Amino acid sequence: MAAMAAPGVTMGGGGWFSALALGVTLLKCLLIPTYHSTDFEVHRNWLAITHSLPISQWYYEATSEWTLDYPPFFAWFEYALSHVAKHFDQEMLNVHNLNYASAKTLLFQRFSVIFTDALFVYAVHECCKCIDGKKAGKELTEKPKFILSVLLLWNFGLLIVDHIHFQYNGFLFGLMLLSIARLLQKRHMEGAFLFAVLLHFKHIYLYVAPAYGVYLLRSYCFTANKPEPTASSLFPTLPFQAGPLPCILGSKLLGFVQCFGQSAVCHCLLSVEKAGDASIFLILTTTGHYSLFPLLFTAPELPIKILLMLLFTIYSISSLKTLFRKEKPLFNWMETFYLLGLGPLEVFCEFVFPFTSWKLTYSFIPLFLTSVYCAVGITYAWFKLYVSVLTDPPVGKTKKQ
């Protein structure tokens, strides 16, 4: 992965960011022919509903079992996409064409995800502006902004969930990260507005609202004698005391395996600031990414998911170890043993269990083992985060302050 990013190293200014964004976009294009889940049909049906029916029927249409159940902004998002979709294949917009998946429909749906990821790319760029560059090394690949860009743009979880399994998480994460970036930039009203917009796209983000509310009360409504916030000073000792990220992450991690992706993507911002947060990020993202493996259960995708996860994991660990090489090791012996255990687990689930007599009567065992093993790691990351939040000294706080 670092090798794929190499062309940007020789470029001046921010050319390396464009190279990273272009490289991952090309990879997404290569994933177009891969397996897609029932979510593909879900979104095709929503295109058809919003395009061919009056607004009053959008949330009542039930020809398909995949009824429209996202908030209004996402319905309008599908409506806008449908007016582009009609130029690819009009038949995909017929409500009665259940499970319709022509070649043109496939191309449109895949490219719609790739195109709307532009918001995610822009949000990553904005977040990188907020990163403290004091730890920057001489080499471009050792700079926190470069590492953060790779960890976000080339995120393994987003690649397989959006561009193989099929969803629009990149677009939604773009709104989330852009909201966080605006908070870090002290543009609180914009950050609050973007988060409100996000809630109207996908209601699952509602459980983050209390964290946003408390942070905005402290940093925007009650601002007497508060120091100027920086990217570093927004990582506090108490969840609701100074910054949005630990507050938001604490809320998100309560979802464990189901919502790990949101936590891991946001935790990227913390991972390049402190060694302790880098450790939590690596445990969370490695374990959480492996928990996504059952989503891709078809044989052709097996080498793809293994290779992509290995590349991302190796880069994540090596880059963050280099960034914090002057500090203590990122993992203790127990964490190292746990993460290495993912290898034997994968071998058993994918290459041993299918040839046992248990395959027919106990087919749930691989999924059960994967869920339990990953839940342990994600729960551990959750507790480690809260221990860090409650015990670590404030970052960037001077004696005078």
Side-chain angles (χ1 to χ4, degrees):
M1 189 170 296
M4 298 186 73
V9 174
T10 59
M11 298 180 181
W16 57 266
F17 185 87
S18 299
L20 288 175
L22 178 61
V24 76
T25 300
L26 293 176
L27 175 60
K28 293 170 184 177
C29 292
L30 292 177
L31 296 176
I32 287 177
T34 56
Y35 153 84
H36 57 79
S37 70
T38 53
D39 281 337
F40 182 89
E41 169 61 14
V42 170
H43 288 282
R44 185 215 61 81
N45 186 54
W46 293 357
L47 287 171
I49 289 174
T50 55
H51 185 82
S52 59
L53 297 176
I55 299 174
S56 60
Q57 296 182 30
W58 283 3
Y59 286 94
Y60 296 95
E61 165 57 38
T63 301
S64 168
E65 62 182 306
W66 312 117
T67 56
L68 180 58
D69 58 2
Y70 271 28
F73 279 19
F74 204 96
W76 285 104
F77 171 71
E78 295 280 5
Y79 174 78
L81 289 178
S82 73
H83 284 277
V84 181
K86 66 183 180 183
H87 298 293
F88 283 74
D89 187 344
Q90 186 73 31
E91 289 303 309
M92 81 171 83
L93 303 176
N94 187 334
V95 174
H96 300 285
N97 275 354
L98 302 183
N99 299 309
Y100 186 80
S102 67
K104 291 182 179 180
T105 301
L106 175 67
L107 282 176
F108 169 75
Q109 299 251 96
R110 291 295 198 193
F111 277 120
S112 70
V113 179
I114 295 172
F115 178 78
T116 55
D117 271 359
L119 177 61
F120 180 72
V121 173
Y122 173 69
V124 172
H125 184 267
E126 289 299 296
C127 285
C128 287
K129 292 180 180 178
C130 306
I131 296 301
D132 186 0
K134 292 180 180 178
K135 297 185 183 68
K138 294 181 180 179
E139 300 295 328
L140 172 63
T141 53
E142 296 180 7
K143 295 182 183 296
K145 292 184 179 181
F146 181 87
I147 295 172
L148 177 62
S149 297
V150 176
L151 294 181
L152 287 171
L153 293 176
W154 290 78
N155 186 272
F156 168 77
L158 283 178
L159 283 174
I160 69 165
V161 173
D162 279 13
H163 301 280
I164 299 181
H165 183 79
F166 193 85
Q167 286 185 17
Y168 289 92
N169 290 298
F171 171 73
L172 297 172
F173 278 134
L175 283 172
M176 182 73 178
L177 289 177
L178 190 57
S179 172
I180 293 174
R182 294 300 180 245
L183 295 182
L184 292 169
Q185 296 163 359
K186 286 196 65 180
R187 296 158 68 174
H188 297 99
M189 293 296 288
E190 289 181 47
F193 173 76
L194 288 168
F195 180 69
V197 170
L198 176 63
L199 289 181
H200 285 78
F201 270 97
K202 194 168 185 179
H203 49 290
I204 195 173
Y205 292 92
L206 184 62
Y207 57 84
V208 190
Y212 262 83
V214 173
Y215 172 72
L216 288 170
L217 282 174
R218 183 190 182 279
S219 63
Y220 183 71
C221 298
F222 306 116
T223 56
N225 300 319
K226 301 298 181 194
E228 286 290 314
T230 63
S232 295
S233 67
L234 290 176
F235 307 127
T237 54
L238 293 177
F240 301 113
Q241 193 176 42
L245 291 179
C247 189
I248 292 167
L249 287 165
S251 300
K252 286 178 170 298
L253 280 170
L254 290 173
F256 299 143
V257 177
Q258 181 183 5
C259 302
F260 98 89
Q262 299 167 22
S263 308
V265 169
C266 291
H267 209 105
C268 284
L269 302 177
L270 291 167
S271 68
V272 296
E273 291 285 338
K274 293 169 58 182
D277 288 313
S279 173
I280 295 171
F281 165 76
L282 291 172
I283 296 170
L284 177 65
T285 196
T286 304
T287 307
H289 283 165
Y290 183 77
S291 74
L292 296 174
F293 269 34
L295 289 177
L296 307 183
F297 52 85
T298 53
E301 279 67 46
L302 178 61
I304 295 176
K305 66 183 182 183
I306 292 177
L307 179 61
L308 287 180
M309 181 173 173
L310 281 176
L311 288 173
F312 183 82
T313 304
I314 292 171
Y315 175 80
S316 301
I317 295 175
S318 61
S319 61
L320 291 175
K321 283 182 68 176
T322 301
L323 184 63
F324 298 106
R325 57 183 174 271
K326 295 181 180 179
E327 303 186 33
K328 64 180 182 180
L330 295 179
F331 304 123
N332 58 38
W333 68 268
M334 182 182 68
E335 294 164 350
T336 301
F337 182 80
Y338 172 82
L339 292 175
L340 290 176
L342 292 172
L345 177 61
E346 172 65 6
V347 171
F348 174 78
C349 292
E350 297 284 2
F351 303 104
V352 176
F353 183 81
F355 298 99
T356 66
S357 58
W358 293 350
K359 180 181 179 181
L360 297 178
T361 53
Y362 302 104
S363 58
F364 64 89
I365 286 181
L367 182 58
F368 173 78
L369 291 176
T370 300
S371 298
V372 171
Y373 196 90
C374 293
V376 170
I378 292 175
T379 302
Y380 173 80
W382 182 80
F383 280 112
K384 189 171 182 178
L385 172 65
Y386 266 87
V387 169
S388 171
V389 165
L390 294 170
T391 60
D392 284 0
V395 178
K397 199 168 187 180
T398 65
K399 291 182 179 180
K400 182 178 179 180
Q401 292 170 343

